[in-house]
Amino acid sequence: MRDGAYRWAGHSFESFDSTVVAVETDADITGYGEVCPLGPAYLPAYAEGARTGIKVIAKGLLGQDPREIDRIYAHMDWLLKGHPYAKSAVDMACWDILGKATGLPVYALLGGRFSDRVKLFKVLSKDEPQKMADKLLEYRDAGYDQFQMKVGGEPATDIERILTVTDAVNTNELIAADANTGWRQHEAIRVVNAISGRPIYIEQPCLSYAECLAVRQHTDNPIILDECMDDIDTIICGYNDNAMDVVNLKISRMGGLTKARLARDLCVDLGIVMTIEDSWGGEIATSAIAHLSHATPTGFHFQSSAFTDYNSVKIAGGGAVVADGYMAVDDSPGLGVEPDFNVLGTHVELID
């Protein structure tokens, strides 16, 4: 479900494998969830693993009440240790059911609607420096003023990319250079020293938290931490170490909306601003991002992704509507999406 190649930190994919979960109830309510790892080499997650984990979890959930969100999650943790991404789609479907059962949109269940629209950023896939700058101009014309450029390759080329692209950035626009863990520590320090003074955020320069913290200590540019922020303990550690200015919360990496909500509430309490998104997905995952973002207090939501803005395949109707650099959901119960089974086809696994 990609429209063209997606390139970052040495990886390139033409498409991503997404898994949609339908949870049926004896009250004739069906909830839907989605998980879509960004290929098998991005995080400790892959599409086939998600489906295997879901199969293991599902058998133990039969007969349970999906509206009891926290109890269901505790039971999933008892059934399967770790593998949070495999629990994400099931958890998302339970929130969809709870919304439909109560007649409320998921954002209302997650705390209420703080914003009419959710601010989006556009990704500049890794390419030749001038082509990336030209892509920024194209996205600007489409209404975007926040961008994320992919780097994480050879440092000299990345420096040229950053200098060229930031030359094209207006003073009212925001941009991040996202290395997706692609630099070694010494390479990241070389890059941040070379682009010092440029109006750009540096996102996840290295693989480990310790390396990213070392880079933080060598730059005045604001830092976004993403891939290494995979649990509550690390967020607390990052806060105590002043390791970042923004945390990127990916719903499936945290383990679903339940865990992402917990992380969001912690960040708000600590005063940490958040990018709220996921690894990838279609209309279902994008709508979950929108609901959590709508329910995040004003000032703490930095930006989000709408994957439907990149995909060549539409898997569901309804959900988030994207326009002019923003997205929004209406007050339909649950996530407000209805899968298109003409596109999805028949189920690949039925648990009964």
Side-chain angles (χ1 to χ4, degrees):
M1 68 166 54
R2 270 285 304 153
D3 185 11
Y6 188 70
R7 294 180 291 274
W8 80 99
H11 297 288
S12 179
F13 285 88
E14 296 289 339
S15 63
F16 298 117
D17 185 335
S18 191
T19 301
V20 172
V21 168
V23 176
E24 298 177 348
T25 72
D26 56 9
D28 292 326
I29 297 174
T30 300
Y32 300 102
E34 181 183 11
V35 58
C36 185
L38 197 68
Y42 170 57
L43 292 170
Y46 65 108
E48 295 84 356
R51 290 192 281 273
T52 299
I54 290 166
K55 184 177 179 180
V56 170
I57 293 166
K59 292 181 179 179
L61 296 179
L62 294 178
Q64 306 295 317
D65 187 341
R67 299 171 300 178
E68 298 181 357
I69 300 288
D70 290 336
R71 192 183 67 79
I72 289 293
Y73 210 101
H75 197 52
M76 287 197 292
D77 282 343
W78 184 78
L79 293 165
L80 179 65
K81 188 175 181 63
H83 303 280
Y85 74 103
K87 301 166 186 173
S88 182
V90 176
D91 179 69
M92 194 181 295
C94 289
W95 280 97
D96 191 28
I97 289 170
L98 181 59
K100 291 172 179 175
T102 58
L104 294 171
V106 166
Y107 68 73
L109 302 172
L110 291 172
R113 188 168 187 140
F114 287 86
S115 60
D116 292 331
R117 302 187 299 173
V118 173
K119 187 69 174 179
L120 300 176
F121 68 91
K122 263 291 198 177
V123 174
L124 312 177
S125 189
K126 194 165 73 171
D127 208 329
E128 296 174 15
Q130 190 55 51
K131 288 184 178 179
M132 295 179 73
D134 292 342
K135 184 61 73 171
L136 183 147
L137 300 181
E138 177 186 324
Y139 290 153
R140 176 189 293 157
D141 290 341
Y144 291 87
D145 58 16
Q146 291 188 204
F147 311 96
Q148 182 196 80
M149 60 180 296
K150 293 300 184 182
V151 287
E154 198 280 320
T157 304
D158 280 338
I159 291 168
E160 183 182 357
R161 288 185 175 110
I162 293 170
L163 295 177
T164 301
V165 171
T166 53
D167 279 342
V169 174
N170 290 333
T171 55
N172 66 316
E173 295 173 334
L174 295 177
I175 187 165
D178 185 7
N180 285 119
T181 77
W183 291 320
R184 301 292 184 182
Q185 182 178 310
H186 70 97
E187 294 173 327
I189 292 173
R190 176 183 166 190
V191 171
V192 297
N193 285 337
I195 58 94
S196 178
R198 292 285 174 148
I200 193 165
Y201 292 71
I202 305 299
E203 183 162 351
Q204 194 68 35
C206 306
L207 178 62
S208 72
Y209 171 80
E211 291 170 307
C212 291
L213 180 59
V215 175
R216 164 73 156 183
Q217 295 163 347
H218 285 80
T219 182
D220 292 327
N221 289 82
I223 295 289
I224 302 172
L225 290 186
D226 181 0
E227 286 84 355
C228 68
M229 294 283 106
D230 55 4
D231 58 26
I232 295 297
D233 289 346
T234 310
I235 294 174
I236 294 172
C237 188
Y239 170 77
N240 289 333
D241 292 338
N242 190 28
M244 70 280 177
D245 301 285
V246 181
V247 165
N248 189 321
L249 292 183
K250 284 187 167 67
I251 292 173
S252 64
R253 188 183 67 222
M254 298 305 297
L257 283 169
T258 298
K259 296 294 186 179
R261 174 196 56 174
L262 178 63
R264 179 210 58 186
D265 291 346
L266 173 66
C267 286
V268 170
D269 194 55
L270 295 176
I272 301 171
V273 176
M274 292 159 280
T275 294
I276 295 175
E277 55 166 345
D278 211 328
S279 52
W280 204 269
E283 283 73 19
I284 302 171
T286 298
S287 289
I289 294 167
H291 280 275
L292 182 60
S293 299
H294 276 305
T296 297
T298 304
F300 290 96
H301 178 264
F302 183 55
Q303 57 187 2
S304 288
S305 288
F307 300 119
T308 53
D309 214 16
Y310 302 90
N311 292 340
S312 58
V313 177
K314 183 175 182 177
I315 64 170
V321 175
V322 177
D324 302 322
Y326 292 86
M327 69 176 168
V329 294
D330 60 24
D331 58 359
S332 298
L335 293 174
V337 291
E338 188 64 34
D340 184 346
F341 291 101
N342 291 323
V343 174
L344 292 173
T346 58
H347 56 263
V348 295
E349 189 75 40
L350 180 63
I351 308 298
D352 56 20

